[in-house]
Amino acid sequence: MCELLGMSANVPTDICFSFSGLRARGGRTGPHKDGWGMAMYRDGDVWSIHDPRPSADSDMAEIISSTSLKCDIVISHIRQANVGGVCLLNTHPFSRLLWGKTWSYAHNGQLEDAMALLPVSVHHPLGSTDSERAFCWIIEQLQSRFGENEPSLEMLSGALSELALQLKARGVFNMMLSDGDKLYCFCTTKLHWITRRAPFKKATLSDEDVIIDFKEVTTDKDVVTVIATQPLTQDEKWEQMEEGELCVFDGGEVVCQIKTDP
Amino acid sequence: MCELLGMSANVPTDICFSFSGLRARGGRTGPHKDGWGMAMYRDGDVWSIHDPRPSADSDMAEIISSTSLKCDIVISHIRQANVGGVCLLNTHPFSRLLWGKTWSYAHNGQLEDAMALLPVSVHHPLGSTDSERAFCWIIEQLQSRFGENEPSLEMLSGALSELALQLKARGVFNMMLSDGDKLYCFCTTKLHWITRRAPFKKATLSDEDVIIDFKEVTTDKDVVTVIATQPLTQDEKWEQMEEGELCVFDGGEVVCQIKTDP
């Protein structure tokens, strides 16, 4: 399987602290050693890193965990390969264009018979993972439902919830998706999130001997939500998403939540 | 147009000095402000960065120009968009799988009627550039000629030279291509290269007020070749590739050269 890390913030914020915890699980405190990647959004731009080496050992991951790169939204992924070899093109997050924006996506879980997610007519997978195929399918489904016009948040969230439930029927589908404006998260088995806002406190990573005092790196107006498959800190209370729940974040706040009975 | 930067070395070597010069041209000393990217190979692994922001301003580019990440082969590109909007999926280098390896590629120039480079049956472009379409065409042509078995260096170089000449007939095709083992460079209008080896000397960038003394960062056995559309230093003699020339580098040395009368 894999692990996911996402961030949504109302001010450009770096992901160093959380990513330091996550990357340890990529070969040191966890088995997810088959590569890592990150999509970072700021002011509508998105840039990305893809590295099929273990995040715990990667010099590139070391840089990202120790250098402040300010973002509004982040999607990161560390991989434990099941479907598809370990290589650059199978490394999450995947990105595609839709409605004039670059959508990025990462997936935790495994889907049965993902090859049946057809036909793929415009948005082709480059790699051989079930994850990327599911992403292409989602993008095509959205395009086919809504055409060239982006729907409202409510309509899009409803459609994403429906599509994610169809994928969940094939196995485990925990995922994060963003267009640089919102961060969409869907939970099958495990996704946790925490919103940090004033008064800020200290936090201690679970996987590394690192403590941060958020008071020292924030202002009173900052709202930062971090989402992860497993909580990354040992002394904070993380919310657990429910099975079948879609949660949409904007500027660190929950702006839409769709729950479905399992 | 764009600018290209490549490196082939016999020991893992960082690209900081050369990339510092190149990135200045992405919005400060040059007009190539429509994004930048880099594919970095070491020991057969390849990782990549894609950033549609101007390299001169990008915090990510600042990190790459100032942090030593050791590689055997590098392909980097700064973009001045002509075909295809400024976005992540139009940012070079592009990568595809062939013969079990990840091939990365970047292009400088512009090709007439690139949409005629069809049919694209397996290797689809994700973005809308003529460059990526030409890359997909090259990969498909190689696969169709050689099937599932990688040919010898001589046969592959011959085929690449033929294909590159066909693309050159459509306009300007300066390109770099690598599988992590060799670095293939083809010149239509401008590609220059320099091989640095003992006795190492000092060098001064053309675009930045930076001097390096290579003696201090090398051993006597190191051989490092840097290739760029335009020379990056002001006090070294760069070789100029000829129109229609394919040059293949391995461990910093030229291992194959095919020249064609224009």
Coordinates of all heavy atoms in Angstrom, one line a residue, chain B residues 7-36:
Chain B
M7 N 24.2 17.1 -18.8 CA 25.5 16.7 -18.2 C 25.7 15.2 -18.3 O 24.7 14.4 -18.2 CB 25.6 17.1 -16.8 CG 26.9 16.9 -16.1 SD 26.9 17.1 -14.3 CE 26.2 15.5 -13.8
S8 N 26.9 14.8 -18.6 CA 27.3 13.4 -18.6 C 28.6 13.3 -17.8 O 29.5 14.0 -18.2 CB 27.4 12.8 -20.0 OG 28.1 11.6 -20.0
A9 N 28.7 12.4 -16.8 CA 29.9 12.4 -16.0 C 30.2 11.0 -15.6 O 29.4 10.1 -15.6 CB 29.7 13.2 -14.7
N10 N 31.5 10.7 -15.3 CA 31.9 9.4 -14.9 C 31.9 9.2 -13.4 O 32.2 8.1 -12.9 CB 33.3 9.1 -15.5 CG 34.4 9.9 -14.8 OD1 34.2 10.9 -14.2 ND2 35.7 9.5 -15.0
V11 N 31.6 10.2 -12.7 CA 31.4 10.1 -11.2 C 30.2 11.0 -10.9 O 29.9 12.0 -11.6 CB 32.5 10.6 -10.4 CG1 33.7 9.7 -10.4 CG2 32.9 12.0 -10.8
P12 N 29.4 10.6 -9.9 CA 28.2 11.5 -9.6 C 28.7 12.9 -9.3 O 29.6 13.2 -8.5 CB 27.7 10.8 -8.3 CG 28.0 9.4 -8.5 CD 29.4 9.4 -9.1
T13 N 28.0 13.8 -10.0 CA 28.5 15.2 -10.0 C 27.2 16.1 -9.9 O 26.2 15.8 -10.5 CB 29.2 15.5 -11.4 OG1 30.3 14.6 -11.5 CG2 29.7 16.9 -11.4
D14 N 27.4 17.3 -9.2 CA 26.2 18.1 -9.2 C 26.2 19.1 -10.3 O 27.2 19.4 -11.0 CB 26.0 18.8 -7.8 CG 27.0 19.9 -7.6 OD1 27.1 20.8 -8.4 OD2 27.7 19.9 -6.6
I15 N 25.0 19.7 -10.6 CA 24.8 20.6 -11.7 C 24.7 22.0 -11.3 O 24.3 22.9 -12.1 CB 23.6 20.1 -12.5 CG1 23.5 20.7 -13.9 CG2 22.3 20.3 -11.8 CD1 24.4 20.2 -14.9
C16 N 25.0 22.3 -10.0 CA 24.7 23.6 -9.4 C 25.3 24.8 -10.2 O 24.6 25.7 -10.6 CB 25.3 23.7 -8.0 SG 24.5 22.6 -6.8
F17 N 26.6 24.7 -10.6 CA 27.2 25.8 -11.2 C 26.6 26.1 -12.6 O 26.2 27.2 -12.9 CB 28.7 25.4 -11.4 CG 29.5 26.4 -12.2 CD1 29.8 27.7 -11.6 CD2 30.0 26.1 -13.4 CE1 30.6 28.6 -12.3 CE2 30.7 27.1 -14.2 CZ 31.1 28.3 -13.6
S18 N 26.4 25.0 -13.4 CA 25.8 25.3 -14.7 C 24.4 25.7 -14.6 O 23.9 26.6 -15.4 CB 25.9 24.0 -15.6 OG 27.3 23.6 -15.8
F19 N 23.6 25.1 -13.7 CA 22.2 25.4 -13.6 C 22.0 26.9 -13.1 O 21.1 27.5 -13.5 CB 21.5 24.4 -12.8 CG 20.0 24.7 -12.7 CD1 19.2 24.5 -13.9 CD2 19.4 25.1 -11.5 CE1 17.9 24.8 -13.8 CE2 18.0 25.4 -11.5 CZ 17.2 25.2 -12.7
S20 N 23.0 27.3 -12.3 CA 22.9 28.7 -11.8 C 23.0 29.7 -13.0 O 22.3 30.7 -13.1 CB 24.1 29.1 -10.9 OG 24.0 28.3 -9.7
G21 N 23.8 29.3 -14.0 CA 23.9 30.1 -15.2 C 22.6 30.0 -16.1 O 22.0 31.0 -16.5
L22 N 22.2 28.8 -16.2 CA 21.0 28.6 -17.1 C 19.7 29.2 -16.5 O 19.0 29.9 -17.2 CB 20.7 27.1 -17.2 CG 19.5 26.7 -18.2 CD1 20.0 26.8 -19.6 CD2 19.0 25.3 -17.8
R23 N 19.5 29.1 -15.2 CA 18.3 29.6 -14.7 C 18.1 31.1 -14.7 O 17.0 31.6 -14.8 CB 18.1 29.1 -13.2 CG 18.9 29.8 -12.2 CD 18.5 29.2 -10.8 NE 17.4 29.9 -10.3 CZ 17.4 30.6 -9.1 NH1 18.5 30.8 -8.4 NH2 16.3 31.2 -8.7
A24 N 19.3 31.8 -14.8 CA 19.2 33.3 -14.9 C 18.6 33.7 -16.2 O 17.9 34.7 -16.3 CB 20.6 33.8 -14.8
R25 N 18.7 32.8 -17.2 CA 18.1 33.1 -18.5 C 16.6 32.9 -18.6 O 16.0 33.2 -19.5 CB 18.8 32.2 -19.6 CG 20.3 32.4 -19.7 CD 21.0 31.5 -20.7 NE 22.4 31.8 -20.7 CZ 23.3 31.0 -21.3 NH1 22.9 30.1 -22.1 NH2 24.6 31.3 -21.2
G26 N 16.1 32.3 -17.5 CA 14.7 32.1 -17.4 C 14.0 33.2 -16.7 O 13.3 33.1 -15.7
G27 N 14.1 34.4 -17.4 CA 13.4 35.6 -16.9 C 14.2 36.8 -16.4 O 13.7 37.8 -16.2
R28 N 15.6 36.6 -16.3 CA 16.4 37.7 -15.9 C 17.4 38.1 -17.0 O 17.3 39.1 -17.6 CB 17.2 37.3 -14.6 CG 17.6 38.5 -13.8 CD 18.0 38.2 -12.4 NE 19.1 37.2 -12.4 CZ 20.4 37.5 -12.7 NH1 20.7 38.7 -13.0 NH2 21.3 36.6 -12.6
T29 N 18.4 37.2 -17.4 CA 19.3 37.5 -18.5 C 18.8 36.9 -19.8 O 19.4 37.1 -20.8 CB 20.7 36.9 -18.2 OG1 20.6 35.5 -18.1 CG2 21.3 37.5 -16.9
G30 N 17.6 36.2 -19.8 CA 17.1 35.7 -21.0 C 15.6 35.6 -20.9 O 15.0 35.8 -19.8
P31 N 14.9 35.4 -22.0 CA 13.4 35.5 -22.0 C 12.7 34.2 -21.7 O 11.5 34.1 -21.9 CB 13.1 35.9 -23.4 CG 14.2 35.3 -24.2 CD 15.4 35.2 -23.3
H32 N 13.4 33.1 -21.3 CA 12.8 31.8 -21.3 C 12.1 31.6 -19.9 O 12.6 30.8 -19.1 CB 13.9 30.7 -21.5 CG 14.8 31.1 -22.6 ND1 14.5 30.9 -23.9 CD2 16.1 31.7 -22.6 CE1 15.5 31.4 -24.7 NE2 16.4 31.9 -23.9
K33 N 11.1 32.3 -19.7 CA 10.5 32.4 -18.4 C 9.2 31.6 -18.2 O 8.5 31.7 -17.2 CB 10.1 33.9 -18.1 CG 9.1 34.4 -19.1 CD 8.6 35.8 -18.7 CE 7.7 36.3 -19.8 NZ 6.7 35.3 -20.3
D34 N 9.0 30.6 -19.1 CA 7.7 29.9 -19.1 C 7.9 28.5 -18.5 O 7.3 27.5 -19.0 CB 7.1 29.8 -20.5 CG 6.8 31.2 -21.0 OD1 6.4 32.0 -20.2 OD2 7.0 31.4 -22.2
G35 N 8.7 28.4 -17.5 CA 8.9 27.1 -16.8 C 10.2 26.5 -17.0 O 11.0 26.9 -17.9
W36 N 10.5 25.6 -16.2 CA 11.8 24.8 -16.2 C 11.6 23.4 -15.6 O 10.6 23.2 -14.9 CB 12.9 25.6 -15.5 CG 12.6 25.6 -14.0 CD1 11.8 26.4 -13.3 CD2 13.2 24.7 -13.0 NE1 11.8 26.1 -12.0 CE2 12.6 25.1 -11.8 CE3 14.1 23.7 -13.1 CZ2 13.0 24.4 -10.6 CZ3 14.4 23.0 -11.9 CH2 13.8 23.4 -10.7

